[in-house]
């Protein structure tokens, strides 16, 4: 392999695309021969981030666009999930476990906490009216073990 | 659809079995069908079986917590059973396993309701 | 549902992405609740078109970009697969069953024939040096049956 | 890897079993491993079992046709067995089923070689 492998995926902000998005990213990452647990982690964080774009970023308006980029380099996968929606005013508050701005929608407020726990790095860029971009990094252990 | 639901009105509890993927998209139908069953039926307790659930994210936590609140407000109990390690981890992270009773399978879930 | 659902996917022209591409498109199309046969058809034509971009469009250079767009409207899925590579000089010849410009790579020359047989419409735009774009349309029967 | 290969040197034939997905990406390894086995080993005929093949496209047709040519050049035969309806359709479209013998399973593939 020369250099990094990458993909970029954009789709309508419809909830029926949540499942599609996590399957697509999982299929891409499976090139690294991850364990089932690692694959579940990846699916879960993609689901969290994409759901947030749809619910919070676009307030359930199906006319927004969600963009995912993924890059594989060595044993590391980098994933960004991005919307051009509402943005987040108070990032520190947003990242608190159990904090949600939409309790009426039965949100658990656990999305960011799950991303932080399942990935090695999570970095959020956001500003009100300017959308939100989540960058996540995870090293895939199975491949590493192979090279030891 | 990527989620199937089976509702069985047992003597002690409404048994709800989920099959497939529970996310934000599919949580709506779980919410409304369980809500209706709890409100309209003579339901004292709820057993939620996740044996055939292949995926769940935090939207699942939300809908489970919502039904937990609903049934406890009626004086009932909620037991979740057949929880996969992945789902258990979400329960741990969110602290949900501290408030919702988790049992190994439907049988022990039913016994746990009888014991009290 | 209001309007059409869509997705757009770009990735490096590496053969390891062939499998990823067909899984991603299949996951998107599965919203239409296709039969297993229909899903296999879709996977196969995506595999054919993407493989052609990699082998013929980019001559196996992994630095090219393959782009897939898919749109679902009613019971119909529209898929385009596109490269910015070599292009095709003689389209009529290229679409002949068993014709291949790379017999040394054990190509069967059946890619276009398969696309034409498995999809309802196939339309190719190409010019030497200007890349190739395949547009394919398929109506998904299972959904139609449901509405009858 | 998305394709696994099993090679068994039988009395009458080299038996090759493919499992997983046969496309352009995985065709290379199928080509080189079968090529090596046919060239180096004392192989008279080839039986290719597709029982556990979950996906195949026209790159698979190419690699099968290539091995067919290789073994027939040595005076041998090639039999393909356990062909799914989807793969059979590709065989039909390409006319491959007219030149390569297709048998139901490994057993009948072996008998078909003995019969001649
Ligand atoms: N893409 C986004 N756009 C706007 N706000 C967001 C976005 N993602 C997260 N947020 C904000 O951060 C809060 C916490 O997110 P999260 O931890 O995923 O919990 P939940 O989605 O359950 O509310 C959300 O309630 C919302 O206010
Ligand atoms: N994306 C493409 N870019 C350039 N040439 C192409 C492309 N797709 C197809 N072709 C040309 O059309 C021919 C026939 O394609 P196809 O029927 O798929 O057979 P095969 O891929 O087995 O050669 C190819 O051999 C090639 O010359």
């Amino acid at each position: 392999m020369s250099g990094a492998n990458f993909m970029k995926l954009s789709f309508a902000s419809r909830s029926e695309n949540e499942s599609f998005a996590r399957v697509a990213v999982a299929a891409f990452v499976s090139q690294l021969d991850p364990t089932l647990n690692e694959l579940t982690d990846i699916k879960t964080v993609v689901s969290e981030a994409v759901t947030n774009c749809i619910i919070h970023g676009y307030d359930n308006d199906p006319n927004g666009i969600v963009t995912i980029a993924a890059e594989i380099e060595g044993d590391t996968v980098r994933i960004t999930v991005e919307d051009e929606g509402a943005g987040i005013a108070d990032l520190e508050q947003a990242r608190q476990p159990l904090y949600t701005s939409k309790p009426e929608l039965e949100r658990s407020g656990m999305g960011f906490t799950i991303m932080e726990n399942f990935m090695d790095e999570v970095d959020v860029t956001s500003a009100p009216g300017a959308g939100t971009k989540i960058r996540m990094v995870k090293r895939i252990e199975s491949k590493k073990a192979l090279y030891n | 659809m990527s989620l199937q639901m089976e509702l069985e009105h047992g003597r002690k509890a409404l048994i709800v079995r989920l099959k497939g993927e529970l996310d934000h998209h599919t949580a709506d139908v779980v919410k409304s069908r369980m809500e209706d069953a709890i409100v309209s039926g003579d339901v004292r307790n709820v057993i939620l079986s996740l044996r055939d659930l292949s995926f769940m994210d935090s939207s699942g936590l939300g809908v489970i917590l919502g039904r937990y609140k609903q049934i406890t407000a009626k004086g009932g109990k909620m037991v979740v059973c057949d929880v996969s390690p992945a789902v258990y981890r979400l329960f741990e992270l969110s602290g949900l396993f501290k408030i919702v009773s988790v049992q190994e399978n439907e049988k022990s879930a039913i016994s746990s309701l009888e014991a009290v």
Side-chain angles (χ1 to χ4, degrees), chain A residues 48 52-53 56-57 83 86-88 94 96 99-102 107-113 115 132, chain B residues 58:
Chain A
E48 298 299 343
N52 279 352
C53 296
H56 301 299
D83 66 62
I88 303 174
Q96 295 289 323
Y99 171 78
T100 178
S101 55
K102 303 214 169 175
R107 304 302 305 158
S108 66
M110 288 300 295
F112 274 126
T113 308
M115 292 184 241
T132 300
Chain B
S58 78

Side-chain angles (χ1 to χ4, degrees), chain A:
Chain A
M1 278 212 251
S2 67
N5 192 4
F6 69 89
M7 69 95 160
K8 190 174 170 182
L9 174 62
S10 302
F11 52 88
S13 54
R14 293 160 168 267
S15 63
E16 54 265 46
N17 289 333
E18 291 157 5
S19 146
F20 155 61
R22 55 183 187 259
V23 171
V25 176
F28 183 71
V29 172
S30 65
Q31 293 171 15
L32 279 177
D33 205 14
T35 62
L36 251 182
N37 280 346
E38 287 170 331
L39 218 49
T40 302
D41 289 357
I42 300 272
K43 279 189 187 176
T44 309
V45 300
V46 168
S47 202
E48 298 299 343
V50 167
T51 301
N52 279 352
C53 296
I54 293 172
I55 300 183
H56 301 299
Y58 295 117
D59 202 12
N60 280 311
D61 176 353
N63 297 308
I65 293 178
V66 179
T67 300
I68 300 180
E71 200 183 276
I72 290 174
E73 199 164 4
D75 59 1
T76 299
V77 55
R78 276 166 229 279
I79 301 171
T80 67
V81 180
E82 188 170 356
D83 66 62
E84 296 150 33
I88 303 174
D90 186 343
L91 257 179
E92 213 187 314
Q93 181 189 47
R95 293 177 77 149
Q96 295 289 323
L98 303 175
Y99 171 78
T100 178
S101 55
K102 303 214 169 175
E104 75 281 8
L105 294 184
E106 297 200 337
R107 304 302 305 158
S108 66
M110 288 300 295
F112 274 126
T113 308
I114 288 169
M115 292 184 241
E116 281 158 10
N117 269 276
F118 286 18
M119 300 296 276
D120 295 329
E121 288 172 39
V122 177
D123 169 63
V124 188
T125 321
S126 186
T132 300
K133 180 173 189 165
I134 319 263
R135 282 192 202 79
M136 300 182 277
V137 182
K138 189 176 180 78
R139 275 164 65 202
I140 298 299
E141 299 287 335
S142 55
K143 194 80 174 192
K144 259 190 300 188
L146 222 74
Y147 288 147
N148 278 346

Side-chain angles (χ1 to χ4, degrees), chain B residues 58-116:
Chain B
S58 78
S59 300
L61 294 174
V63 75
I64 293 173
L65 192 62
R67 299 300 70 66
Y68 166 81
K69 288 181 182 162
Q70 198 187 346
I71 194 74
T72 49
K74 283 183 66 176
K77 293 186 150 232
M78 170 133 160
V79 186
V80 184
C81 68
D82 281 296
V83 175
S84 71
V87 170
Y88 192 80
R89 211 169 139 210
L90 297 182
F91 278 28
E92 277 186 321
L93 266 180
S94 60
L96 204 73
F97 83 108
K98 279 189 240 159
I99 54 172
V100 175
S101 154
V102 176
Q103 291 289 332
E104 210 179 312
N105 50 38
E106 276 186 32
K107 216 176 137 185
S108 51
I110 294 171
S111 327
S112 80
L113 289 173
E114 275 159 358
V116 186

